[in-house]
Amino acid sequence: MTKPPGFRTRILVRLMHGVFIFTRGMTLGVRAACFDAEGRIFLVRHGYVPGWYMPGGGVERGETALGALSKELREEGNLEIIGTPELLHAYYNTRVSRRDHVLFYRVTVRQTAPRLPDREIAESGFFALDALPDGVTDATARRLSELSGDMARSDYW
């Protein structure tokens, strides 16, 4: 699927999580499988790590999970949630640290404006499930396989 993150990326992620050890007891993130009215999924390619991901991010102190989800979708894709997000599963993400968990949602969205590239998001867009871009991350592929019923749900991201 995708090549492993480079040395600089691994160091940056470890440093960030080193800071989180002192500022947070546990890290919590949100991600979503965001589908438009045509059934296409929205994916992002970050400028600082390789691969295509479903949008999401960390839940900050004083923020609800749904508030964080709405904020991240707006920031990463100019996406507006239609209806009620469906919480699919809570995953333990040992690839990042032994303290990280990810809440995974399924949402229907509409894009309020095209998302222009910047330092955080290099590319983004809606893709048919049978025409995903090259470089979809392994975790993204697993979540999509779980959603389709082709793979049993795991507790690990």
Side-chain angles (χ1 to χ4, degrees):
M1 298 279 168
T2 61
K3 65 181 180 175
F7 178 75
R8 287 180 14 181
T9 299
R10 288 192 313 268
I11 293 296
L12 177 63
V13 168
R14 291 225 188 264
L15 286 172
M16 288 173 29
H17 278 273
V19 170
F20 295 159
I21 287 172
F22 297 106
T23 60
R24 303 172 179 161
M26 178 186 86
T27 56
L28 178 64
V30 291
R31 276 206 191 272
C34 300
F35 293 95
D36 67 4
E38 289 84 46
R40 299 174 303 168
I41 191 160
F42 186 82
L43 299 175
V44 297
R45 189 176 65 77
H46 295 280
Y48 51 89
V49 291
W52 287 89
Y53 295 79
M54 287 181 262
V59 179
E60 300 298 329
R61 186 171 287 169
E63 186 175 46
T64 67
L66 289 177
L69 181 67
S70 181
K71 175 192 74 179
E72 292 294 338
L73 299 185
R74 186 176 55 256
E75 288 176 356
E76 293 192 3
N78 293 327
L79 301 176
E80 180 179 88
I81 298 172
I82 299 170
T84 304
E86 177 186 1
L87 176 61
L88 297 175
H89 200 60
Y91 293 90
Y92 182 36
N93 187 7
T94 58
R95 293 174 194 266
V96 173
S97 79
R98 293 181 305 196
R99 306 171 319 96
D100 191 50
H101 292 77
V102 178
L103 300 178
F104 183 53
Y105 293 87
R106 185 193 190 290
V107 297
T108 302
V109 296
R110 76 176 189 88
Q111 192 170 44
T112 60
R115 174 59 161 89
L116 300 176
D118 61 20
R119 287 186 142 184
E120 182 185 2
I121 306 296
E123 291 182 84
S124 64
F126 286 96
F127 301 90
L129 291 173
D130 61 355
L132 297 174
D134 289 336
V136 168
T137 65
D138 292 339
T140 298
R142 285 193 305 275
R143 298 300 79 81
L144 292 174
S145 290
E146 290 172 1
L147 276 171
S148 69
D150 292 339
M151 173 186 259
R153 193 171 284 164
S154 170
D155 286 335
Y156 296 89
W157 186 255

